[in-house]
């Protein structure tokens, strides 16, 4: 079943200055599953003239988008497909905020796409990426892009602060906070904490990362000193996608510590040990789509539009 509505004044504020009207006229986009940011992404694309399909059980939150529970009508002739930032599940299963959605993107689905086309996702199974390239569809792994990671680090940091404050009785101001890892998300997390006047210590393996942290105004320690640093930390924000908060390390933590793990699942925390020790530890994936879907969807629209135009602009697209 397909539902089609038209754009109206309810979406007037979602166009975005970087997305000129009619830039994408005649382009067909298919957005598979995902979270609330897909709605805002779709709205931005539609206001630029694209024909946008959202495939999932629940209808879109905004008018101007086509909706289908079946993927075939949406994929047929699509030039751009956008899958969620979260990893694919078994057999190409696509992540969705609705647990009743059982969507999957298979190799045979790629035969429905226009030639050439672009397929966006956070990351790809090797087999699906190879099949896409064979079918004339360029796979773009958004999680590998510095631009996307830096843009997403802001709502990630703000969401992490929200989750931490909901679980504590003290302010971040004057509290000791550990940031594990000093990559793109770790840097934004630390700088946000510094702006709130937290006492920030960065734990990082590389000397260069520790030097950057010190230049930014943080204390910095090597990974080998993590257990000792936990003894007086009230907040811990992990961005390292490896088991670093081990049972042995967690035994050194104070009982009222709040651990927010921002690394990709399964995170870098021994959650079973944390539970056994009575510690508060939360795995927090997908924060941009959960706490700031409009902002995250807008960032996604900018990146997707630019890469799609660069990849497919020479191709003549017939107006729909």
């Amino acid at each position: 079943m397909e539902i089609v509505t038209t754009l109206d004044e309810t979406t007037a504020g979602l166009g975005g200055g970087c997305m000129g009207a009619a830039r994408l006229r005649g382009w067909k986009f298919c957005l598979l599953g995902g979270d609330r940011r897909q709605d805002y992404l779709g709205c931005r694309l539609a206001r630029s003239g694209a024909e946008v399909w959202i495939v999932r059980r629940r209808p879109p939150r905004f008018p101007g988008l086509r909706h289908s529970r079946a993927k075939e009508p949406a994929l047929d002739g699509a030039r751009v497909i956008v899958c969620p930032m979260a990893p694919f599940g078994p057999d190409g299963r696509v992540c969705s905020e609705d647990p009743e959605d059982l969507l999957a993107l298979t190799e045979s689905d790629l035969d429905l796409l226009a030639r050439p086309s672009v397929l966006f996702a956070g990351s790809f199974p090797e087999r699906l990426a190879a099949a896409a390239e064979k079918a004339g569809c360029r796979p773009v792994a958004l999680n590998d892009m510095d631009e996307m990671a830096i843009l997403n680090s802001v709502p990630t940091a703000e969401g992490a602060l929200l989750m931490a404050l909901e679980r504590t009785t003290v302010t971040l101001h004057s509290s000791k906070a550990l940031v594990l890892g000093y990559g793109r998300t770790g840097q934004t997390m630390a700088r946000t904490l510094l702006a709130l006047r937290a006492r920030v210590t960065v734990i990082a393996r590389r000397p260069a990362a520790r030097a950057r942290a010190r230049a930014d105004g943080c204390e910095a320690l090597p990974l080998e000193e993590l257990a000792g640093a936990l003894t007086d930390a009230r907040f811990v924000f992990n961005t390292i996608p490896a088991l670093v908060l081990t049972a042995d390390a967690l035994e050194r933590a104070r009982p009222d510590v709040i651990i927010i793990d921002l690394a990709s699942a399964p995170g870098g925390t021994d959650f079973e040990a944390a539970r056994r020790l009575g510690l508060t530890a939360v795995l927090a994936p997908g924060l941009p789509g959960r706490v700031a879907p409009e902002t995250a969807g807008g960032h996604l629209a900018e990146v997707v539009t630019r890469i799609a135009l660069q990849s497919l602009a020479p191709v003549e697209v017939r107006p729909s």
Side-chain angles (χ1 to χ4, degrees):
M1 177 181 179
E2 176 198 343
I3 300 173
V4 185
T5 55
T6 58
L7 288 167
D8 60 17
E9 65 275 6
T10 63
T11 59
L14 301 176
C18 66
M19 303 277 289
R23 288 182 72 193
L24 299 175
R25 188 172 303 281
W27 293 60
K28 182 176 180 180
F29 284 71
C30 172
L31 315 184
L32 292 175
D35 52 31
R36 293 170 61 198
R37 81 186 94 180
Q38 295 283 71
D39 294 81
Y40 289 96
L41 165 63
C43 190
R44 290 281 296 272
L45 296 171
R47 291 196 67 83
S48 290
E51 174 189 335
V52 182
W53 291 68
I54 286 188
V55 181
R56 65 183 185 216
R57 193 175 66 89
R58 297 174 182 170
R61 294 171 174 85
F62 302 115
L65 309 175
R66 297 174 182 262
H67 172 236
S68 176
R69 294 188 177 188
K71 60 186 175 180
E72 288 76 15
L75 289 171
D76 188 23
R79 290 211 173 272
V80 182
I81 306 90
V82 184
C83 296
M85 298 292 288
F88 286 90
D91 300 320
R93 178 78 175 269
V94 173
C95 181
S96 175
E97 65 178 359
D98 186 343
E100 296 188 30
D101 277 333
L102 301 176
L103 294 169
L105 183 66
T106 65
E107 297 174 31
S108 60
D109 291 332
L110 301 174
D111 294 334
L112 297 171
L113 306 178
R115 303 287 193 278
S117 54
V118 184
L119 172 61
F120 293 92
S123 59
F124 291 95
E126 185 175 339
R127 183 173 178 177
L128 181 60
E133 291 179 345
K134 185 177 181 181
C137 179
R138 177 190 173 190
V140 178
L142 294 166
N143 286 337
D144 292 342
M145 298 177 59
D146 282 343
E147 176 187 7
M148 199 75 249
I150 292 169
L151 289 171
N152 275 336
S153 71
V154 175
T156 296
E158 292 188 9
L161 295 182
L162 174 65
M163 296 184 72
L165 289 171
E166 288 175 338
R167 291 165 170 80
T168 190
T169 56
V170 300
T171 61
L172 283 157
H173 186 286
S174 299
S175 295
K176 180 176 179 180
L178 299 185
V179 176
L180 313 188
Y182 210 59
R184 298 162 299 195
T185 300
Q187 290 179 34
T188 300
M189 188 77 248
R191 291 165 185 167
T192 304
L193 289 164
L194 286 172
L196 294 172
R197 298 294 191 268
R199 296 181 290 118
V200 183
T201 298
V202 168
I203 307 293
R205 178 180 57 82
R206 294 185 299 110
R210 298 196 296 273
R212 170 53 61 190
R214 292 191 183 99
D216 288 340
C218 306
E219 297 295 326
L221 296 171
L223 193 57
E224 293 76 20
E225 297 185 33
L226 169 58
L230 280 170
T231 58
D232 60 345
R234 193 66 184 262
F235 300 94
V236 179
F237 300 91
N238 176 55
T239 70
I240 300 175
L243 183 59
V244 289
L245 289 166
T246 62
D248 289 342
L250 292 172
E251 288 179 354
R252 304 282 299 276
R254 52 188 293 169
D256 54 2
V257 69
I258 306 295
I259 300 169
I260 307 296
D261 198 323
L262 303 172
S264 301
T269 304
D270 186 334
F271 289 100
E272 175 57 29
R275 184 197 62 77
R276 187 175 67 251
L277 293 166
L279 305 178
T280 300
V282 183
L283 182 62
L287 281 180
R290 290 161 55 188
V291 303
E294 182 176 347
T295 298
H299 291 159
L300 192 55
E302 294 173 17
V303 173
V304 164
T305 298
R306 189 192 72 249
I307 294 176
L309 287 171
Q310 290 172 345
S311 301
L312 304 176
V315 179
E316 181 180 355
V317 181
R318 296 180 180 179
S320 55

